[in-house]
Amino acid sequence: MDGSWDTHPLEQHLYEVAGLAEKFAKSFESKDWAYLAGLWHDLGKYRPAFQDHIRKSSGYEPDAHISSEKKSDTSHASTGAVHAIEKLGSIGKILAYVIAGHHAGLPDFEKVDAKGRSLREIISRDKELLQQAIKEEIPEKILKRESPPLPPFVTSDPGKLHTWIRMLFSCLVDADFLDTERFMSPEKAGDRVQDTSMKEMLCHFDEYMKQFQKKQHEGSINSIRAKILKICRVKAIRKPGIYTMTVPTGGGKTLSSLAFALEHAVRYDKQRIVYAIPYTSIIEQTAEVFRGVFEPLGDVLIEHHSNTEPDKYEKETSWSRLAVENWDAPLIVTTTVQLFESLYASRTSRCRKLHNLVNSVIVIDETQLLPPEQLNPIRHIVQSLNQHYGVTFVMSTATPTGFEAQTSPFGKRLLEGIESDEIIDAPKQYYRQLERVNFKLPDDFSQKQSWDEISSELKKCDSVLAIVNTRKDARELWEKMPEGTFHLSALMCAQHRSEAIQEIKNRLKHGQSTRVISTQLVEAGVDLDFPVVYRALAGLDSIVQAAGRCNREGKLDKGKVVVFVPPYEPPRGLLTQARDTSVSLLHGFHGDIQSPETFERYFNKFYAEVKDHDKNHVLDKLQKTADELQIQFRTAAQQFKMIDDNDTVSVIVRHGDNDGLLNVLAKGEPDRRLLRKLQRYTVTLYKHQFEKMLGREEIKEIYQGFYAQSESGIYHSSLGLLLEPELTAAYVI
């Protein structure tokens, strides 16, 4: 045997993982449970068959005996799960879920439709594997442990048990990965060291804002923004809780909410700030702003969404789990999809970051875009994180939606309530002060206009932004416009969109004629300022958000926002419902479209039309038999979807000079840095589009689960990834 081999003793690994997991769980009163999970998670590796397998497969002992029963040789996760129940009794199921799932993901208790074995199957069928392990010389100090007491909040409310188990799972999974990484790739482990404090970040933010405000011209809008910023700083001393932040579009809520988060984090010793944003296009802009603020501190920010995760329907591998983020950074910018789907996830890669949310500040931007059919699970998890894990929430919006409970006229509870405090005193005054546009509504909401008619109107405008409902609509209208018209949609990768938006901003700044056709990716958070904005009929919140791109800086007396009825219906579902709610409210309307009272009427009506605010009964699967520890983790994870992405695939496109990044991915295992860079070059396609492009060899798999545009694929300098005309079925960003 070659003497150059470094070995990682199993007992050492168990104690190191236990210690790390204990450290992670200390902040939510669960360190003893996490320590036990770490100590028992790999008991199955004591089995002779597993030791033979690992020695043979690694080349450490090429002649080691390998049994023909490969599955039983490599299986080890279930052994500790069985031991937990035999040692601790029924309550051991808590650790059984965590240990059995530390590679395959949290299991269901009962087998239904989800893939993988149920916990009931594991604990009834794998007892023999435990006996094989126990026959070896496992130290008694590892095996003989007593059951720790449950945290009080778990015993008082079994409905919150699923979140606690998922948090323990996160502690174990991250500890296991980090200890393995520390042994296998110490250079990667060194990259993870991040010791920038919230106090340092606040100091740099203060200095940045001093310089930023010196550059701002005097005027009513900037004075209002300064006032809102000051209010947020003052209110940050309030105790941790759930806050709403209602600021009109153009009121500077991005930097003001960051000020609140930083001041609050320093005062209450919070460990990180998480920004959850609905669209990747807003993530790009927000992350760019934040990097500018904290540039002197180096890499303190992680920008994370799921576009560069490997195929989520395939089996996870060790490299795919190690490649994703664990959010161990002071500032995270992510999507609401990534945040909330992770909080209901069962997969190891999705769950490993969850313990890093404990004792943090989470800002949910554009809360009006949270899916109404999932509002009850979202509100449940928000309350749980706030009450038991020290998370302060800031629910930020320009089009306020109530978080109060809603009941039908017949007494049926439609929407679970959530208690929150408003940061901005008397926000209505700022809506009046920041009125910058006049709205022109259709005379007849049933009268559709053709693209020729709409383009004819747009051509009369020197500079104009037109926002439509689908990618197909954007392309068709763009094709009717003069040469030089900009196009923005999610068929363009993030890097391409950023370049186009920057060029648009530069042209507007210098007074050059600028016409833009876009999907709704620009209507929340993208800092554009047009004198005229056209908006295809949609939900009232979308119309008002679009208006936020008009006369944004108040340079005109009033900008002009034209609402038109497009030739095609929006995709059926919530978009159609939102449009219909707007039509019923706006027909014959003579009030203030942008007032909080109008939004309240709109959202009350809109939510009342939604049949179920927990569409797939996710909470039932997690709570109904929680007191018996019979929880359907995997089924709930599959059925909690912020967006219906089961029929989509992310593809890396060829744009600019990213060929080198694609070559690195094709040659070896992806790491975090590479995936972060590639996030900016992805486009999401429906599977039927993806499969046909794959068949035409316009897309190819370049590395396990990662697909990229081939050299024969067409990426248009204005439109992005080109699909065949018959394949450009309408779908929303």
Side-chain angles (χ1 to χ4, degrees):
M1 184 171 63
D2 190 342
S4 65
W5 278 90
D6 288 329
T7 60
H8 194 188
L10 178 54
E11 184 175 342
Q12 178 185 344
H13 174 63
L14 295 182
Y15 277 110
E16 287 175 345
V17 171
L20 267 178
E22 178 185 44
K23 176 184 173 184
F24 295 154
K26 187 176 181 180
S27 57
F28 59 99
E29 305 176 62
S30 306
K31 63 184 184 69
D32 293 336
W33 284 94
Y35 187 87
L36 264 190
L39 202 59
W40 290 349
H41 80 287
D42 272 353
L43 289 182
K45 289 185 177 180
Y46 277 103
R47 295 172 49 243
F50 183 89
Q51 290 296 317
D52 286 346
H53 172 83
I54 201 69
R55 286 183 170 90
K56 175 70 175 180
S57 61
S58 67
Y60 182 77
E61 289 184 5
D63 298 326
H65 170 71
I66 295 291
S67 163
S68 60
E69 297 181 21
K70 184 177 180 181
K71 184 175 180 181
S72 63
D73 291 337
T74 60
S75 175
H76 67 277
S78 61
T79 305
V82 175
H83 176 70
I85 292 175
E86 291 197 355
K87 180 66 179 172
L88 306 182
S90 179
I91 202 170
K93 280 186 267 188
I94 291 168
L95 293 180
Y97 283 113
V98 172
I99 294 171
H102 78 272
H103 286 298
L106 286 167
D108 284 343
F109 182 78
E110 296 281 5
K111 182 75 173 178
V112 187
D113 297 323
K115 294 180 179 179
R117 294 196 299 162
S118 68
L119 187 64
R120 186 188 289 277
E121 289 175 319
I122 290 169
I123 59 183
S124 64
R125 297 182 185 179
D126 288 6
K127 292 182 180 181
E128 175 59 30
L129 300 184
L130 175 62
Q131 295 307 313
Q132 293 174 17
I134 288 177
K135 288 178 182 178
E136 302 307 304
E137 295 183 2
I138 305 177
E140 285 293 307
K141 60 183 179 179
I142 290 179
L143 291 176
K144 290 191 175 181
R145 296 277 172 163
E146 299 301 320
S147 173
L150 290 168
F153 68 84
V154 173
T155 56
S156 63
D157 186 0
K160 304 286 177 65
L161 184 63
H162 70 95
T163 305
W164 182 62
I165 292 176
R166 205 177 277 105
M167 283 291 185
L168 289 176
F169 180 62
S170 172
C171 293
L172 172 62
V173 167
D174 197 28
D176 190 23
F177 291 161
L178 290 176
D179 187 62
T180 301
E181 183 182 70
R182 188 163 53 192
F183 177 76
M184 300 294 292
S185 305
E187 71 286 353
K188 287 185 180 180
D191 289 343
R192 292 185 181 275
V193 176
Q194 177 54 259
D195 56 2
T196 305
S197 70
M198 287 290 151
K199 193 170 184 178
E200 288 178 279
M201 293 178 68
L202 179 58
C203 289
H204 278 80
F205 176 80
D206 290 342
E207 182 59 33
Y208 175 88
M209 291 307 298
K210 285 179 186 177
Q211 301 305 318
F212 177 78
Q213 290 174 330
K214 284 180 182 178
K215 298 175 185 176
Q216 301 302 301
H217 60 82
E218 291 187 8
S220 59
I221 289 181
N222 284 325
S223 65
I224 292 169
R225 290 170 179 165
K227 187 175 181 180
I228 290 170
L229 175 66
K230 184 177 180 180
I231 291 170
C232 288
R233 285 183 179 276
V234 171
K235 294 293 184 67
I237 66 172
R238 289 184 177 182
K239 64 181 182 180
I242 300 173
Y243 293 93
T244 54
M245 180 179 169
T246 306
V247 176
T249 299
K253 62 186 174 69
T254 298
L255 289 173
S256 293
S257 60
L258 178 60
F260 179 95
L262 285 168
E263 297 272 12
H264 188 82
V266 169
R267 185 174 183 86
Y268 293 101
D269 198 26
K270 300 297 183 185
Q271 63 176 345
R272 63 181 43 83
I273 296 169
V274 178
Y275 260 77
I277 299 172
Y279 297 146
T280 55
S281 57
I282 314 177
I283 283 183
E284 296 148 17
Q285 177 167 293
T286 303
E288 185 179 348
V289 170
F290 290 169
R291 286 192 181 98
V293 173
F294 301 114
E295 185 176 9
L297 291 174
D299 190 13
V300 299
L301 181 150
I302 288 175
E303 180 183 343
H304 186 208
H305 46 88
S306 59
N307 284 0
T308 50
E309 289 182 2
D311 190 339
K312 52 185 167 288
Y313 307 105
E314 298 298 325
K315 183 178 179 181
E316 292 186 289
T317 62
S318 58
W319 64 259
S320 73
R321 291 190 295 263
L322 285 168
V324 298
E325 303 290 358
N326 67 347
W327 289 8
D328 189 10
L331 181 59
I332 313 297
V333 182
T334 189
T335 60
T336 49
V337 172
Q338 179 69 232
L339 174 65
F340 286 111
E341 288 192 0
S342 294
L343 285 163
Y344 280 100
S346 64
R347 293 170 57 211
T348 53
S349 59
R350 274 283 177 96
C351 289
R352 88 176 266 205
K353 58 184 170 282
L354 297 185
H355 70 91
N356 278 325
L357 294 176
V358 176
N359 194 35
S360 64
V361 181
I362 300 180
V363 180
I364 309 295
D365 196 23
E366 309 294 354
T367 54
Q368 78 282 354
L369 294 175
L370 293 173
E373 292 176 330
Q374 304 290 355
L375 277 183
N376 281 342
I378 289 171
R379 293 176 182 204
H380 167 80
I381 204 70
V382 165
Q383 287 178 317
S384 182
L385 290 178
N386 170 247
Q387 292 170 356
H388 307 306
Y389 301 94
V391 179
T392 288
F393 281 91
V394 178
M395 318 298 281
S396 173
T397 182
T399 54
T401 66
F403 275 79
E404 66 278 0
Q406 293 188 13
T407 305
S408 75
F410 304 101
K412 180 183 177 183
R413 177 58 61 90
L414 298 173
L415 198 60
E416 296 301 323
I418 188 169
E419 292 185 5
S420 60
D421 292 324
E422 174 61 52
I423 294 172
I424 307 300
D425 296 321
K428 293 180 183 179
Q429 63 179 306
Y430 300 109
Y431 284 84
R432 291 192 298 271
Q433 295 170 7
L434 288 172
E435 283 183 359
R436 303 183 300 279
V437 304
N438 289 322
F439 287 89
K440 183 179 183 301
L441 301 176
D443 295 326
D444 183 352
F445 284 95
S446 65
Q447 185 63 47
K448 297 178 180 178
Q449 289 183 269
S450 69
W451 292 133
D452 285 326
E453 292 173 318
I454 296 162
S455 64
S456 178
E457 291 185 32
L458 297 176
K459 290 172 188 176
K460 296 174 185 177
C461 302
D462 186 53
S463 288
V464 62
L465 167 65
I467 302 176
V468 295
N469 291 323
T470 70
R471 294 174 177 178
K472 179 176 180 289
D473 289 354
R475 177 169 178 175
E476 288 193 14
L477 180 54
W478 180 83
E479 289 173 341
K480 302 285 185 182
M481 295 296 292
E483 186 177 349
T485 299
F486 289 87
H487 164 278
L488 292 170
S489 84
L491 284 175
M492 302 159 64
C493 68
Q495 181 64 29
H496 189 180
R497 291 197 303 268
S498 295
E499 293 164 0
I501 289 171
Q502 189 57 51
E503 186 176 354
I504 291 167
K505 287 182 178 180
N506 290 338
R507 292 180 65 88
L508 290 169
K509 181 179 179 181
H510 292 96
Q512 296 175 274
S513 176
T514 308
R515 299 185 182 98
V516 179
I517 310 299
S518 178
T519 60
Q520 61 265 49
L521 64 83
V522 299
E523 72 184 17
V526 179
D527 188 8
L528 297 175
D529 187 2
F530 283 85
V532 181
V533 169
Y534 274 63
R535 182 55 168 102
L537 183 60
L540 182 66
D541 55 320
S542 294
I543 293 171
V544 172
Q545 288 284 5
R549 311 316 116 195
C550 184
N551 195 24
R552 186 175 181 86
E553 298 301 321
K555 296 176 183 177
L556 305 173
D557 178 39
K558 286 290 178 72
K560 181 181 178 182
V561 176
V562 179
V563 179
F564 65 92
V565 183
Y568 303 128
E569 295 283 314
R572 295 183 64 83
L574 291 174
L575 287 174
T576 304
Q577 188 174 314
R579 179 208 58 184
D580 292 346
T581 303
S582 291
V583 171
S584 67
L585 181 67
L586 296 176
H587 185 71
F589 185 80
H590 299 292
D592 180 3
I593 288 178
Q594 299 185 86
S595 74
E597 292 89 351
T598 304
F599 291 134
E600 184 179 357
R601 288 175 57 197
Y602 168 77
F603 282 111
N604 283 342
K605 184 174 179 59
F606 177 58
Y607 289 149
E609 294 295 326
V610 176
K611 293 180 179 178
D612 198 330
H613 295 280
D614 184 0
K615 181 180 178 181
N616 294 320
H617 306 289
V618 169
L619 292 180
D620 283 348
K621 297 172 178 65
L622 297 169
Q623 295 179 319
K624 222 168 191 179
T625 54
D627 54 347
E628 300 169 9
L629 290 170
Q630 298 180 7
I631 303 173
Q632 298 296 98
F633 283 105
R634 192 162 297 189
T635 298
Q638 290 177 356
Q639 295 185 355
F640 179 81
K641 293 292 180 184
M642 294 279 287
I643 56 175
D644 186 9
D645 65 349
N646 287 328
D647 197 30
T648 61
V649 181
S650 290
V651 174
I652 306 166
V653 299
R654 296 181 180 274
H655 175 73
D657 57 355
N658 73 333
D659 283 347
L661 297 176
L662 288 168
N663 291 337
V664 172
L665 178 61
K667 289 177 181 177
E669 296 183 352
D671 60 25
R672 294 181 302 278
R673 291 176 179 174
L674 178 64
L675 294 184
R676 288 185 200 174
K677 292 177 181 178
L678 286 173
Q679 281 179 343
R680 297 191 61 76
Y681 297 95
T682 58
V683 167
T684 301
L685 301 178
Y686 273 129
K687 275 196 172 179
H688 74 272
Q689 297 167 329
F690 165 80
E691 287 167 358
K692 291 194 175 182
M693 294 187 78
L694 192 65
R696 296 194 301 267
E697 297 185 347
E698 295 170 347
I699 291 171
K700 63 181 180 180
E701 186 176 27
I702 63 170
Y703 191 81
Q704 307 169 19
F706 289 91
Y707 293 88
Q709 171 198 343
S710 66
E711 293 181 3
S712 64
I714 300 174
Y715 192 84
H716 192 275
S717 60
S718 294
L719 297 172
L721 190 62
L722 285 188
L723 311 174
E724 289 185 352
E726 64 268 30
L727 296 181
T728 55
Y731 61 97
V732 185
I733 58 172

